[in-house]
């Protein structure tokens, strides 16, 4: 296998979502197809042992085992051998931030030992637990009701663990609660010679190293850091060297054995010190290719000094999409305000973030207050806990990025200091009565030389809480409330881009990427995107025709009034149908229930309003079944069919040819109209994709938009692999000037692209509906550098110089022109 080892740096990746129904052996069957497609690496979802039945792998329960459900280490090794034999590498997703707390609890032996032995357990220091808050006990708000109510209902019972349930633990006394199985502390059940069930259960509960309570009591009892607000994902302290070693030993061994070539790091912002973590990983792997799931907001840049190739590409997604936003924002904004939507996006975000802090993240806020009060005391300040809590809440709401990067013991970088200063100013303006507390907090948060353990903890813990506030407040609340154009409500995106349609941010981003992170990833769709790239492309194209858009909206609006559904929710429903049509009842209803619960206005996950949800699903069914409602949607799609084609192919060719390493999410090499998970984890018919690609490779013309997207994807991917001089990390990026508002054009190639040597030009159509309304390309031209050029997509050839765009884009609305080199 060593001889077939593929170079560690990808030219392009293909993301596969693994689970029990699609494991390593299934992935191995796809290797010949993926090699033919043109990628250089398979990019696998998490491969370590996850909770039974996991469909995503982020709920890791054992870092020392490759997932048995996926096939185990032997099957992974076989997959790697076959991949390497086809000159493909393997990239795996790594989950360093948390482990799963699942039923039965013995599935996670590291946590099982903590529940059994408490703070003296060998793995107790793995987990970020505020032991003092619960009197030295691990708070577990897992019960459906209070302990007293559960005891009265006889749902808690003592038992003995059977050998077949958990190897090596047979015979241990346990506490059972439905599917939950809790370890019992040694000696906590009196040895009377009788079965454990005869013991005084209330007394036994008081003797445990954990404290059970109702899930509704979590604000008071939950004292461990979580992944966002997910109680079943307990944070892991990988900042401790031995914890890093224990949780990464297998992954590093797989890399050193040549089974794995690179890593994607999940949610680094949750870690105590992302920079130090990445340095440890670099040192342990000898510099493996690593990308980080970092969501960049506004003009934020990836922190300097991080030992990684770059981000996973949400910044690229936004840059590409902003370049394709139609200039119809005023018309869409008018509709949104007329139906009762807020006119102020910033205000909606602020309210949503404040709600999240005051409800979902109260355990995190309470822990921050405890730490801040102690940090202030260590600094000689006596503070009021309630006022400090209010001030912390204000600061968390006003921080506009996923975190600053202030590191105890290190100088504060200018960007982090500026972010916190700006948040302080906004908070002080909003709450001048908290000026003293806010000033104290910012001083403590920037005091990286403090010797106070509480002060250092405050610096880190505050930053770890900023991410959940942003994710839950913006991504998972605001983006389900704000529906001006939902194509822009994307991870790392900004709905305000509707009012700033410009190609300049794309060019600026691409130049930064080429200079700073040429090996970083680019993406359009992921397992976390709210909508697939093609749903978003459809919506962008359709929004370019406001008249047809309004015609589709009006009947749905009227039906919503009769159904008792508020207009903003109905408007979201309409856009969902436009983006996914044709869609069946089950998919649409499942989505609208999730969307309305995430919005947290009329219904929520914890307290669902059954009547309201029934009204929304009835309207969804009506739209699918009634031609009077979906007919205008079909008419809109027909009217914008050419625009959808141009936007779909344009987004793809831009992503594939800008600087970076493009990822193709499974199935997105053709048109994929998926919504947020779990919709985007539906099975992919790779056999059909193979047949399509084989037909295209045999010289057949594309039969539909699926084929055209597959043609663009495969030809661009192969070119990346074959011609690193054109699209590799050392290739330059230069926009071609004078192309007009409807054409995106840029030049890639070696450092001297003006010479008659190797070079590539990408052309993509922009604002196609507006272009058609003015009569098409007509006399629009583009100035190609000198030489003879061939379109990789169509085979057409053209000379350099000023050329009519209509000729260059006669067959497709995009082009990939490569300069032909003269014979040596």
């Amino acid at each position: 296998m060593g001889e077939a080892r593929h170079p560690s740096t990808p030219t392009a990746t293909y993301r596969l979502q693994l689970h029990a129904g699609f494991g390593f052996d299934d992935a191995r069957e796809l290797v010949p197809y993926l090699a033919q497609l043109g990628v250089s690496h398979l990019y696998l979802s998490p491969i370590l042992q996850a909770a039974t039945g996991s469909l995503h792998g982020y709920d890791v329960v054992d870092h020392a085992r490759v997932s048995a459900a996926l096939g185990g280490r032997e099957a992974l090794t076989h997959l790697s051998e076959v991949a390497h034999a086809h000159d493909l590498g393997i990239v795996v997703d790594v989950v360093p931030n948390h482990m799963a707390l699942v039923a039965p609890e013995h599935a996670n032996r590291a946590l099982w030992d903590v529940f059994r032995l408490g703070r003296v357990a060998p793995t107790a220091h793995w987990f970020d637990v505020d032991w003092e808050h619960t009197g030295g006990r691990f708070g577990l708000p897992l019960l459906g009701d209070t302990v007293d109510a559960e005891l009265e209902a006889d749902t808690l019972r003592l038992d003995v663990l059977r050998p077949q349930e958990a190897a090596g633990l047979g015979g241990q006394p346990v506490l059972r609660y439905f599917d939950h199985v809790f370890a019992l502390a040694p000696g906590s059940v009196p040895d009377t010679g009788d079965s454990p069930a005869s013991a005084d259960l209330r007394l036994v509960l008081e003797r445990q190293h954990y404290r059970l309570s109702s899930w509704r009591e979590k604000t008071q009892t939950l004292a461990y850091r979580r992944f966002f607000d997910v109680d079943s994902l307990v944070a892991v302290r990988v900042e401790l060297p031995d914890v890093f070693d224990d949780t990464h030993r297998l992954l590093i061994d797989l890399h050193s054995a040549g089974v794995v070539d690179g890593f994607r790091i999940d949610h680094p912002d949750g870690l105590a010190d992302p920079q130090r973590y990445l340095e440890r990983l670099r040192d342990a792997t000898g510099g493996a290719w690593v990308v980080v799931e970092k969501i960049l907001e506004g003009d934020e840049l990836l922190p300097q000094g991080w030992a990684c190739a770059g981000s996973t590409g949400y910044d690229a997604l936004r840059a590409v999409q902003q370049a394709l936003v139609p200039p119809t924002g005023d018309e869409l904004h008018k509709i949104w305000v007329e139906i009762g939507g807020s006119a102020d996006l910033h205000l909606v975000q602020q309210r949503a973030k404040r709600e999240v802090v005051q409800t979902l993240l109260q355990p995190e806020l309470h822990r921050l207050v405890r730490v801040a009060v102690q940090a202030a005391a260590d600094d000689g300040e006596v503070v009021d806990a309630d006022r400090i809590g209010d001030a912390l809440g204000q600061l968390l709401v006003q921080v506009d990025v996923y975190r600053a990067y202030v590191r105890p013991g290190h100088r504060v970088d200018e960007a982090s200091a500026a972010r916190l200063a700006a948040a302080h100013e906004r908070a002080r303006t909003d709450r001048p009565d908290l000026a003293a507390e806010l000033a104290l907090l910012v001083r403590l948060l920037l005091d990286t030389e403090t010797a106070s353990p509480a002060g250092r903890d405050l610096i880190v813990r505050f930053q770890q809480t900023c991410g959940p506030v942003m994710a839950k407040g913006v991504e998972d609340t605001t983006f389900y409330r704000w529906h001006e154009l939902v194509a822009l409500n994307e991870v790392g995106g900004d709905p305000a881009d509707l009012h700033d349609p410009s190609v300049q941010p794309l060019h600026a981003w691409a130049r930064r990427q080429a200079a700073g992170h040429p090996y970083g990833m680019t993406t359009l769709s992921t397992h976390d995107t709210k909508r697939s790239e093609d749903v978003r492309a459809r919506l962008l194209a359709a929004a370019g025709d406001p008249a047809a858009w309004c015609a589709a909206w009006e009947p749905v609006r009227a039906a919503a009034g009769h159904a008792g559904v508020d207009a903003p929710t109905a408007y979201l429903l309409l856009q969902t149908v436009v983006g996914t049509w044709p869609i069946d009842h089950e998919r649409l209803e499942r989505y609208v229930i999730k969307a309305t619960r995430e919005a947290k206005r009329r219904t929520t996950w914890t307290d669902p309003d059954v009547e309201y949800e029934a009204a929304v699903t009835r309207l969804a069914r009506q739209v699918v079944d009634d031609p009077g409602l979906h007919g205008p949607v079909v008419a809109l799609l027909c009217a914008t069919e050419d625009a959808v084609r141009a936007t779909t192919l344009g987004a793809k060719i831009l992503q594939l040819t800008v600087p970076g390493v493009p990822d193709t999410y499974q199935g997105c090499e053709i048109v994929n109209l998926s919504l947020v998970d779990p919709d985007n984890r539906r099975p992919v018919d790779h056999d059909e994709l193979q047949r399509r690609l084989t037909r295209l490779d045999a010289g057949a013309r594309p039969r539909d938009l699926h084929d055209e997207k597959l043609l663009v994807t495969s030809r661009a991917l192969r070119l990346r692999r074959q011609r690193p001089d054109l699209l590799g990390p050392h290739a330059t990026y230069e926009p071609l000037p004078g192309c007009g508002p409807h054409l995106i054009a840029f030049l890639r190639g070696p450092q001297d692209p003006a010479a008659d040597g190797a070079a590539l030009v990408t052309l993509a159509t922009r604002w196609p509906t507006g272009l058609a309304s003015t009569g098409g390309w007509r006399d629009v031209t583009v100035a190609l550098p000198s030489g003879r050029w061939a379109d990789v997509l169509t085979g057409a050839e053209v000379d350099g110089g000023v050329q009519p765009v209509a000729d260059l884009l006669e067959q497709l609305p995009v082009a990939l022109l490569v300069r032909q080199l003269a014979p040596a």
Side-chain angles (χ1 to χ4, degrees), residues 239-387:
E239 67 270 20
L240 302 178
D242 69 310
V243 178
F244 175 91
D245 292 342
D246 288 341
T247 56
H248 287 68
R249 184 172 291 109
L250 175 57
L251 292 168
I252 293 167
D253 177 60
L254 289 169
H255 179 264
S256 64
V259 176
V260 168
D261 300 280
F263 303 98
R264 178 261 193 192
I265 307 303
D266 182 65
H267 187 45
D269 283 342
L271 306 181
D273 189 347
Q275 180 166 330
R276 183 68 187 113
Y277 169 83
L278 292 169
E279 290 168 351
R280 282 197 176 106
L281 187 61
R282 175 200 59 199
D283 295 344
T285 62
W289 183 78
V290 171
V291 289
V292 292
E293 185 207 21
K294 172 63 188 144
I295 297 169
L296 300 168
E297 296 289 333
D299 59 357
E300 184 185 12
L301 302 176
L302 201 64
Q304 292 185 354
W306 276 20
C308 65
S311 77
T312 52
Y314 287 117
D315 46 328
L317 184 158
R318 180 189 175 189
V320 168
Q321 185 154 288
Q322 188 173 5
L324 299 173
V325 172
T328 52
D330 289 345
E331 291 98 324
L332 296 187
H333 182 70
K334 182 179 178 181
I335 298 172
W336 176 239
V337 174
E338 284 179 347
I339 66 175
S342 171
D344 189 336
L345 175 61
H346 176 73
L347 181 61
V348 174
Q349 290 178 332
Q350 293 293 295
R351 287 175 176 170
K353 290 170 71 176
R354 188 164 285 110
E355 288 176 25
V356 162
V357 171
Q358 294 172 350
T359 55
L360 301 181
L361 300 178
Q362 279 291 288
E364 285 72 19
L365 180 61
H366 287 185
R367 188 171 182 183
L368 273 175
V369 170
R370 295 192 294 272
V371 174
V373 169
Q374 183 60 56
D378 292 347
D379 200 56
E381 299 277 356
V382 178
V383 297
D384 180 86
D386 289 339
R387 291 182 63 81

Side-chain angles (χ1 to χ4, degrees), residues 1-13 40-44 47 76-77 79-94 250-264 281 285-291 309:
M1 186 172 65
E3 293 181 358
R5 176 97 185 254
H6 188 273
S8 62
T9 302
T11 63
T13 60
S40 68
H41 285 64
L42 283 70
Y43 165 27
L44 307 180
I47 63 169
L76 173 62
T77 300
L79 166 62
S80 178
E81 290 171 345
V82 173
H84 289 160
H86 285 76
D87 202 27
L88 301 182
I90 301 286
V91 173
V92 300
D93 206 335
V94 180
L250 175 57
L251 292 168
I252 293 167
D253 177 60
L254 289 169
H255 179 264
S256 64
V259 176
V260 168
D261 300 280
F263 303 98
R264 178 261 193 192
L281 187 61
T285 62
W289 183 78
V290 171
V291 289

Side-chain angles (χ1 to χ4, degrees), residues 722-781:
Q722 297 162 0
R723 296 291 304 274
D725 57 327
L726 299 179
L727 290 166
H730 303 296
T732 61
Y733 178 97
E734 290 297 332
L736 289 182
C739 298
H742 295 290
L743 185 68
I744 301 173
F746 55 82
L747 181 70
R748 303 292 317 277
Q751 293 297 318
D752 188 10
D756 288 338
L760 174 146
V761 168
T762 293
L763 302 179
T765 303
R766 182 170 180 249
W767 302 347
T769 302
L771 175 66
S773 69
T774 60
W777 293 112
R778 303 201 312 187
D779 58 353
V780 178
T781 61

Side-chain angles (χ1 to χ4, degrees), residues 104-406:
E105 279 63 22
H106 53 71
N108 186 332
R109 295 295 177 89
L111 272 173
W112 178 266
D113 286 346
V114 176
F115 297 155
R116 182 170 178 268
L117 301 175
R119 299 175 73 168
V120 301
T123 53
H125 68 295
W126 279 31
F127 303 101
D128 192 353
V129 183
D130 186 359
W131 292 97
E132 303 305 327
H133 176 58
T134 53
R137 301 169 73 186
F138 196 116
L140 290 176
L142 298 175
L143 305 181
D145 208 332
T146 64
V147 170
D148 287 342
E150 298 291 358
L151 287 172
E152 185 175 347
D154 200 28
T155 54
L156 292 161
R157 63 186 180 89
L158 297 173
D159 197 5
V160 173
L161 198 61
R162 291 175 286 278
Q164 63 268 30
E165 291 184 85
L169 301 180
Q172 287 191 14
V174 295
L175 175 69
R176 296 186 186 272
Y177 176 71
F178 296 101
D179 292 335
H180 293 280
V181 181
F182 300 105
L184 293 176
S188 62
V189 179
D191 185 8
T192 62
D194 301 323
S195 72
S198 65
D200 183 332
L201 187 50
R202 190 180 297 275
L203 180 61
V204 171
L205 288 176
E206 290 298 321
R207 292 174 173 172
Q208 299 314 308
H209 295 292
Y210 49 85
R211 177 187 171 192
L212 291 172
S213 65
S214 164
W215 65 271
R216 292 189 181 273
E217 300 173 297
K218 71 176 66 177
T219 297
Q220 294 77 36
T221 60
L222 193 148
Y224 57 85
R225 187 166 58 85
R226 307 169 286 174
F227 171 71
F228 296 165
D229 65 332
V230 184
D231 299 351
S232 61
L233 297 177
V234 184
V236 176
R237 300 178 66 201
V238 291
E239 67 270 20
L240 302 178
D242 69 310
V243 178
F244 175 91
D245 292 342
D246 288 341
T247 56
H248 287 68
R249 184 172 291 109
L250 175 57
L251 292 168
I252 293 167
D253 177 60
L254 289 169
H255 179 264
S256 64
V259 176
V260 168
D261 300 280
F263 303 98
R264 178 261 193 192
I265 307 303
D266 182 65
H267 187 45
D269 283 342
L271 306 181
D273 189 347
Q275 180 166 330
R276 183 68 187 113
Y277 169 83
L278 292 169
E279 290 168 351
R280 282 197 176 106
L281 187 61
R282 175 200 59 199
D283 295 344
T285 62
W289 183 78
V290 171
V291 289
V292 292
E293 185 207 21
K294 172 63 188 144
I295 297 169
L296 300 168
E297 296 289 333
D299 59 357
E300 184 185 12
L301 302 176
L302 201 64
Q304 292 185 354
W306 276 20
C308 65
S311 77
T312 52
Y314 287 117
D315 46 328
L317 184 158
R318 180 189 175 189
V320 168
Q321 185 154 288
Q322 188 173 5
L324 299 173
V325 172
T328 52
D330 289 345
E331 291 98 324
L332 296 187
H333 182 70
K334 182 179 178 181
I335 298 172
W336 176 239
V337 174
E338 284 179 347
I339 66 175
S342 171
D344 189 336
L345 175 61
H346 176 73
L347 181 61
V348 174
Q349 290 178 332
Q350 293 293 295
R351 287 175 176 170
K353 290 170 71 176
R354 188 164 285 110
E355 288 176 25
V356 162
V357 171
Q358 294 172 350
T359 55
L360 301 181
L361 300 178
Q362 279 291 288
E364 285 72 19
L365 180 61
H366 287 185
R367 188 171 182 183
L368 273 175
V369 170
R370 295 192 294 272
V371 174
V373 169
Q374 183 60 56
D378 292 347
D379 200 56
E381 299 277 356
V382 178
V383 297
D384 180 86
D386 289 339
R387 291 182 63 81
I388 282 292
D390 288 345
L392 279 165
Q394 286 294 318
L395 270 181
L396 287 168
V397 167
Q398 297 299 340
V399 173
D400 59 359
V401 292
Y402 272 65
R403 70 177 284 168
Y405 295 95
V406 181

Side-chain angles (χ1 to χ4, degrees), residues 559-579:
H562 294 300
V565 175
D566 57 284
T569 297
Y571 197 47
L572 169 64
L573 174 61
L574 168 75
Q575 293 184 61
T576 303
V577 173
V578 170

